[in-house]
Amino acid sequence: MSRVALVTGGMGGLGEAICIKLAALGYKVVTTYSPGNKTWKEWLDSMNKMGFGFRAYPCDVANFDSAKACVEQIAKEVGPVDVLVNNAGITRDMTFKKMDKVNWDAVMSTNLDSTFNMTKQVCDGMLDRGWGRIINISSVNGQKGAFGQTNYSAAKAGMHGFTKALALEVARKGVTVNTISPGYIGTKMVMAIPSDVLDSKIIPQIPMGRLGKPEEVAGLVAYLSSDEAAFLTGANIAINGGQHMH
Ligand code: CAA
Ligand code: NAP
């Protein structure tokens, strides 16, 4: 029977590529969309016209009760989740001088609390079944810091602390927990950066001289989701065109 993969934020730039890759490998792919998302049905219909067979459920990953209700419905209608990709995330970039509590909290809850909110719903089942994959999509900016991102860098660095601690707790039960830290990938999150800043401050810092492609990150997610990756846990894998090495 095919495994169930849940990708949060699968209608975004990275998430869509991850959903497509996992479906191509035979996973039953389920994704989430924000409760306020007005275009989810069109996205789903257009994907399924191409034969992917995705399912989609509303979920505010920043809200524990919403995450719980969403995963309960998935368990009932599709099955228990074997692979969780904590991918949904937002930026609210501003210098620390301008950073207010609302934008701090929004980024912390959507990028970091979400990791707890979603993982909590699936982890016990993975342990009971003796197999599971939890993949947290962090960022190069959680590893190195970024101008205008005290909130985002803190949340993304926090994700990897979570990864390492949980990886220790579940290692003997067939469940792996890993972080992927992408560099700048050409999605709408990056296209929202003022173009002069992107061209003059960011691209020149990438030795490969280009943005990454969502498909490049999706390939790594596919590997971490596989049986072959069973001995790989607690890692933070950088995929950033050489922008940051550690
Ligand atoms: N490095 C160094 N200096 C920077 C900088 C950077 N990345 N970004 C901006 N600055 C400088 C500007 O050049 C400017 O300098 P001067 O005063 O000498 O001209 C100064 O900071 C103020 O910049 P702005 O006029 O743009 O000020 P602002 O308050 O309007 O905006 C900002 C500040 C929100 C940080 C804006 O510049 C910005 O959005 N920068 C990009 C931030 C960024 O890289 N975000 C990553 C988003 S993608 C992502 O997060 C995905 C991922 O995980 C990789
Ligand atoms: P994106 O295109 O903006 O997609 C973000 C996705 O997150 C959307 O599908 C959005 O769903 C979902 N989302 C946001 N808030 C949510 C909430 N409260 N509840 C449920 N879903 C929510 O961004 P992306 O570039 O694909 O980024 C995906 C992940 O990769 C993020 O965690 C990001 O931080 C990380 N990342 C991106 C880059 C990059 O360069 N692009 C680099 C490193 C890391 P709706 O549209 O339905 O709201």
Side-chain angles (χ1 to χ4, degrees), residues 91 93-95 98 138-141 147-149 152 182-184 189-190 193-194 197 201-202:
T91 51
D93 294 351
M94 57 200 70
T95 53
K98 295 183 187 161
S138 176
S139 165
V140 64
N141 292 344
F147 195 103
Q149 290 197 311
Y152 186 83
Y184 286 72
M189 183 178 273
V190 164
I193 299 172
V197 173
K201 299 265 191 299
I202 293 173

Side-chain angles (χ1 to χ4, degrees), residues 4-182:
V4 175
L6 170 57
V7 181
T8 65
M11 299 182 189
L14 274 185
E16 180 182 296
I18 294 168
C19 289
I20 289 173
K21 180 73 183 177
L22 293 178
L25 293 172
Y27 294 83
K28 258 191 231 170
V29 176
V30 184
T31 187
T32 66
Y33 55 93
S34 300
N37 183 323
K38 303 247 184 310
T39 55
W40 71 271
K41 190 75 174 56
E42 288 157 38
W43 179 89
L44 190 63
D45 290 347
S46 72
M47 286 288 135
N48 287 344
K49 259 192 212 135
M50 291 186 263
F52 292 118
F54 296 154
R55 309 280 292 254
Y57 293 85
C59 180
D60 176 0
V61 295
N63 179 302
F64 184 84
D65 293 335
S66 175
K68 184 166 187 286
C70 170
V71 177
E72 279 171 3
Q73 203 182 345
I74 293 167
K76 226 181 283 166
E77 296 178 11
V78 187
V81 173
D82 301 299
V83 176
L84 171 65
V85 186
N86 283 313
N87 166 74
I90 57 167
T91 51
R92 294 283 183 273
D93 294 351
M94 57 200 70
T95 53
F96 187 66
K97 214 178 199 7
K98 295 183 187 161
M99 181 71 64
D100 55 15
K101 177 90 171 101
V102 171
N103 286 299
W104 173 267
D105 287 345
V107 167
M108 293 305 284
S109 62
T110 308
N111 295 278
L112 181 58
D113 293 356
S114 58
T115 308
F116 171 80
N117 294 341
M118 297 303 299
T119 306
K120 189 71 187 159
Q121 316 308 330
V122 303
C123 191
D124 284 351
M126 291 177 178
L127 295 174
D128 290 344
R129 295 188 302 279
W131 199 95
R133 298 283 184 266
I134 295 164
I135 300 163
N136 296 319
I137 306 295
S138 176
S139 165
V140 64
N141 292 344
Q143 299 181 295
K144 68 166 190 55
F147 195 103
Q149 290 197 311
T150 49
N151 50 3
Y152 186 83
S153 297
K156 292 300 193 185
M159 288 177 96
H160 189 55
F162 173 90
T163 288
K164 289 188 285 187
L166 184 61
L168 291 174
E169 294 183 22
V170 300
R172 284 176 183 269
K173 298 285 172 71
V175 178
T176 67
V177 190
N178 289 291
T179 303
I180 294 177
S181 287

